[in-house]
Amino acid sequence: MYNNQEAHAMFPPQGSNFLGATAPPASMFDNVPGYEGTAMGGGGGYLPPPAPAYPPPAPEPSPTQPEWNIPSISEDTAREAFRLFVSNHCCWSSGPAKDGMITAMDSFNTYRYRLETFTEARATEWAHEQYNGQPVNAYTQPAPGPWDIQVQPPAHFQEQSTHVMVPYTSSVKECHECLGQGREPCTECAGAGNKVCWVCNGAGVRTGDDQCNHCNGRGRENCSACHGHGSKECDACRGKRQLHVYIQLNVKWTNNKDDFVVEQSSGLKVENLNSVSGKELFKDTQYLVFPVMGFPDPAVGQAAERLVREHQNKYSQSARILQQRQTIELIPITKVTYKWKGGTHTYFVYGNEFLVSTEDYPATCCCTVM
């Protein structure tokens, strides 16, 4: 039968002062000159970079390109791209792709201008780890400013992030999670060491007066998470009772990119062009680029002027611009008209990859899997 006295002993003790995890107290963090206001977990945003010690080099106009156009694709290339496209659709007959007669090929080549601004952003936050005897150096020397710390960047236009301990900010503090005890209450059983038996739901019996075999009639079972101890090793200090506390510098390199595609009247959806590349007609890489000049299509020059101005204004406020790159690609678009069984149909071949798009393929069917 259910033993009420035994079960009562398995509940957490009344008035227990074994507190759970607490937020770090303000006294845990030293007052480091130059880092006032630094918080645990960040949240303060990225720090604006200081003004450069020397004037940056002025952007230079790039030489005008002598050749801005490429010829259209051949009929054989268009036909082969269409055949490959149709072969990847199991429910499409190959008839139109093989036997269709091409009657017209119209070129709607368009341009894509791309501006990339490679930036470095920095933020700081208080961080901690278990203390295993790491050297501490807070106040032994003035801590360098966030932008004075040397950090090796990746290759230009390669995104990456890293974390660096700010020199002369580390110290040892009592763990705030376990209050220096090395252990903390088990969250699974609220520190009791046991939980209500899931089989009998705490009744101690199952059907009728049959004792619950799972908990031996106690109505509760030992907590598997803490093995009945009611507490576990502190996750923060791993039982060491102390934490190594320091200011962490978070550095993030980002390739900020914007594209502008010149409108074309072929009927092909612009979003289709996001997945293809074009022939690179122009490339300019500088610390700060100068908007493209002398391009035959004025829409490209206007977009370049607008995006260069926007990037330099936007990204210099909270990050350091390391490099800019602007490119112009010519994306080939060919509208192919063909006849098959008395009907006229069209498809598009576009990009260096010769991708195909069509909305009126005349020989589709529904497949049924048995």
Side-chain angles (χ1 to χ4, degrees):
M1 292 295 293
Y2 174 64
N3 189 322
N4 185 63
Q5 184 177 2
E6 181 181 2
H8 178 75
M10 300 184 68
F11 284 90
Q14 297 295 318
S16 173
N17 60 0
F18 198 174
L19 300 177
T22 61
S27 59
M28 181 173 172
F29 306 126
D30 296 324
N31 184 21
V32 180
Y35 290 87
E36 297 85 354
T38 301
M40 191 79 176
Y46 286 98
L47 306 169
Y54 301 97
E60 299 179 359
S62 298
T64 302
Q65 300 296 307
E67 178 60 54
W68 295 108
N69 295 293
I70 60 174
S72 301
I73 64 173
S74 68
E75 183 175 314
D76 287 342
T77 299
R79 190 182 300 276
E80 182 58 30
F82 195 34
R83 287 175 179 170
L84 179 61
F85 173 74
V86 171
S87 69
N88 291 325
H89 291 74
C90 64
C91 297
W92 291 16
S93 168
S94 62
K98 289 182 178 179
D99 305 326
M101 179 181 297
I102 294 178
T103 58
M105 291 181 58
D106 299 308
S107 176
F108 291 88
N109 296 343
T110 191
Y111 301 107
R112 175 167 58 205
Y113 172 82
R114 173 171 292 165
L115 177 63
E116 299 168 89
T117 298
F118 185 58
T119 60
E120 177 182 310
R122 297 189 173 196
T124 57
E125 63 178 322
W126 279 103
H128 61 74
E129 60 189 2
Q130 65 185 91
Y131 180 61
N132 290 316
Q134 298 95 317
V136 295
N137 52 22
Y139 298 115
T140 58
Q141 291 188 40
W147 286 98
D148 296 327
I149 301 170
Q150 296 297 314
V151 183
Q152 181 63 39
H156 285 163
F157 309 107
Q158 299 296 313
E159 297 197 342
Q160 188 175 307
S161 61
T162 190
H163 310 288
V164 178
M165 183 187 303
V166 176
Y168 311 116
T169 64
S170 64
S171 60
V172 177
K173 306 290 183 181
E174 180 183 274
C175 178
H176 65 283
E177 290 280 349
C178 63
L179 305 181
Q181 300 300 308
R183 299 184 68 82
E184 55 187 344
C186 174
T187 56
E188 293 292 323
C189 64
N194 56 85
K195 300 186 295 184
V196 172
C197 175
W198 66 272
V199 177
C200 66
N201 199 28
V205 295
R206 300 187 65 182
T207 304
D209 293 330
D210 292 338
Q211 176 178 286
C212 176
N213 294 327
H214 184 75
C215 64
N216 295 323
R218 295 179 297 173
R220 302 183 70 85
E221 58 180 324
N222 282 349
C223 176
S224 59
C226 64
H227 306 291
H229 296 296
S231 64
K232 299 189 297 183
E233 181 180 84
C234 176
D235 289 333
C237 68
R238 298 298 180 188
K240 301 293 185 179
R241 302 186 180 186
Q242 292 179 311
L243 294 174
H244 182 224
V245 181
Y246 55 92
I247 295 178
Q248 178 174 280
L249 174 67
N250 301 321
V251 187
K252 184 178 182 180
W253 293 278
T254 306
N255 189 32
N256 306 279
K257 181 171 62 177
D258 276 302
D259 290 349
F260 170 79
V261 178
V262 177
E263 287 189 30
Q264 40 79 30
S265 56
S266 67
L268 179 68
K269 296 178 180 178
V270 175
E271 52 265 29
N272 286 48
L273 304 180
N274 294 336
S275 58
V276 297
S277 61
K279 177 183 178 182
E280 188 176 275
L281 302 179
F282 173 82
K283 183 178 181 180
D284 175 31
T285 303
Q286 300 185 56
Y287 163 61
L288 294 175
V289 298
F290 194 88
V292 174
M293 299 178 64
F295 194 77
D297 192 321
V300 172
Q302 293 168 5
E305 183 176 359
R306 173 178 58 84
L307 289 175
V308 166
R309 181 176 62 253
E310 289 178 358
H311 274 221
Q312 292 178 1
N313 289 337
K314 178 180 180 180
Y315 297 116
S316 63
Q317 302 302 312
S318 59
R320 175 182 285 169
I321 295 177
L322 301 181
Q323 199 81 9
Q324 286 189 312
R325 178 169 64 194
Q326 57 182 345
T327 56
I328 299 176
E329 296 173 281
L330 189 149
I331 305 177
I333 301 174
T334 302
K335 183 178 182 180
V336 182
T337 305
Y338 67 99
K339 287 186 176 181
W340 187 72
K341 290 188 175 181
T344 300
H345 310 276
T346 60
Y347 64 90
F348 297 93
V349 183
Y350 56 98
N352 285 346
E353 296 80 3
F354 302 124
L355 297 188
V356 171
S357 174
T358 182
E359 295 183 355
D360 66 343
Y361 193 72
T364 61
C365 62
C366 296
C367 295
T368 303
V369 180
M370 299 300 293

